[in-house]
């Protein structure tokens, strides 16, 4: 089975549409969405409605910190995030807000864990940005493979049987075997707001039969997405991020 893993869509209709089309062309069998459907982008309602449709068709959707902040606190977020969330709240109806509020924090299938931020404290929204944070995850989470987002930059961490933790940044769409002799923590890059200097959208595909992972970069209409951010009156920095991938 091929599972498409998408995260950090952030109201970006153009990026989300491009990744869905790319995944369906493979074709994938399932979609698992790792959170943050809203915030930053100009099309939060369309994104939430699309996620709702995917879930009704059998997809799994998890809660992200921006989703939780729609009807919760945003005091731990920076000024850009808070300003975009204030605008986003006014774009969502009651059913859309209720859908987000009811999303689960984690999803488990056998020895595979799916979560937005990390497996050891999913509601704490701590970022995994280096091997030290990855080691903390591995020491507290009993899963062979964990998939998460939140960071907006792709990274793959692994731990050996001697508890040595390593990492590497995936390049291209090469198939990466997730060996049974190691534990794995795969950070999936952002669909809607990549921050690695490449504007193209990120997503990944997990092959459950081969136990392998492929990261994809999908070009999309960044000009339209950025223009819509500006037209919505959102901060200019958010439009520039889409254009620059930072």
């Amino acid at each position: 089975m091929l599972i498409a893993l998408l995260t950090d869509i952030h109201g970006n209709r153009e990026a989300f549409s491009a990744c869905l089309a790319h995944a369906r062309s493979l074709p994938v069998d399932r979609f698992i969405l790792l959170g943050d459907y809203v915030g930053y982008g100009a099309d939060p309602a369309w994104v939430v409605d699309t996620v709702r449709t995917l879930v009704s068709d059998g997809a799994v959707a998890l809660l992200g910190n921006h989703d939780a902040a729609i009807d919760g606190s945003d005091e731990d977020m920076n000024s850009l995030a808070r300003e975009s969330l204030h605008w986003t709240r006014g774009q969502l109806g009651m059913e859309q807000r209720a859908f987000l509020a009811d999303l689960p924090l984690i999803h488990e299938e056998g020895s595979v864990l799916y979560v937005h931020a990390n497996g050891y404290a999913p509601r704490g929204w701590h970022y995994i940005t280096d091997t030290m944070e990855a080691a903390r995850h591995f020491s507290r989470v009993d899963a062979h493979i964990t998939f998460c987002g939140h960071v907006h930059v792709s990274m793959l961490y692994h731990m050996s049987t001697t508890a040595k933790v390593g990492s590497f940044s995936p390049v291209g769409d090469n198939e990466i075997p997730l060996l049974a002799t190691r534990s794995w923590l795969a950070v999936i890059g952002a669909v809607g707001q990549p921050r690695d200097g490449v504007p193209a959208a990120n997503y990944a595909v997990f092959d459950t039969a081969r136990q392998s992972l492929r990261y994809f970069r999908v070009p999309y209409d960044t000009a339209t997405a950025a223009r819509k951010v500006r037209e919505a009156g959102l901060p200019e920095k958010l439009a520039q991020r889409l254009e620059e991938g930072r």
Side-chain angles (χ1 to χ4, degrees):
M1 178 178 290
L2 297 182
I3 300 176
L5 305 167
L6 299 95
T7 187
D8 297 281
I9 297 161
H10 286 299
N12 190 331
R13 177 173 183 164
E14 288 70 30
F16 193 21
S17 296
C19 287
L20 290 175
H22 186 279
R24 285 167 172 150
S25 73
L26 293 178
V28 300
D29 301 292
R30 295 179 64 199
F31 289 94
I32 295 185
L33 311 164
L34 304 180
D36 273 5
Y37 313 108
V38 301
Y40 301 135
D43 286 297
W46 184 90
V47 168
V48 172
D49 285 343
T50 301
V51 173
R52 291 170 66 192
T53 299
L54 289 169
V55 169
S56 69
D57 291 338
V60 172
L62 302 180
L63 182 74
N65 58 308
H66 284 253
D67 311 317
I70 289 296
D71 286 319
S73 173
D74 58 14
E75 63 183 22
D76 293 334
M77 294 182 170
N78 61 42
S79 58
L80 280 176
R82 288 198 301 272
E83 186 171 347
S84 67
L85 277 169
H86 178 77
W87 178 86
T88 299
R89 290 178 180 127
Q91 306 301 309
L92 301 178
M94 293 301 297
E95 289 187 3
Q96 294 160 330
R97 294 170 78 131
F99 171 78
L100 294 177
D102 287 342
L103 291 174
L105 281 167
I106 65 171
H107 177 71
E108 295 179 87
E109 294 183 356
S111 61
V112 182
L113 172 67
Y114 302 88
V115 65
H116 179 66
N118 66 74
Y120 60 84
R123 195 174 284 279
W125 313 120
H126 303 301
Y127 292 86
I128 297 176
T129 57
D130 55 34
T131 53
M132 183 177 297
E133 290 294 333
R136 178 182 298 179
H137 168 91
F138 286 128
S139 69
R140 301 183 185 184
V141 176
D142 185 21
H144 174 224
I145 303 170
T146 300
F147 294 112
C148 70
H150 197 40
V151 180
H152 292 224
V153 176
S154 300
M155 188 63 66
L156 189 57
Y157 299 94
H158 51 87
M159 185 177 72
S160 69
T161 55
T162 59
K164 182 178 180 180
V165 177
S167 67
F168 64 91
S169 179
V171 177
D173 61 356
N174 299 312
E175 184 178 29
I176 304 167
L178 304 181
L179 304 176
T181 53
R182 298 182 182 183
S183 297
W184 298 89
L185 171 59
V187 181
I188 310 301
V191 170
Q193 197 181 86
R195 294 181 186 167
D196 59 356
V198 180
N202 267 264
Y203 87 103
V205 172
F206 175 45
D207 188 326
T208 62
R210 297 173 62 85
Q211 290 289 284
S212 65
L213 185 65
R214 293 175 70 187
Y215 288 82
F216 292 98
R217 299 308 294 262
V218 182
Y220 73 95
D221 188 353
T222 55
T224 293
R227 174 180 56 78
K228 290 162 76 173
V229 166
R230 293 184 174 103
E231 289 176 349
L234 290 163
E236 171 64 19
K237 178 65 175 177
L238 298 180
Q240 293 174 354
R241 278 182 173 177
L242 299 181
E243 294 166 338
E244 300 170 2
R246 297 188 183 280

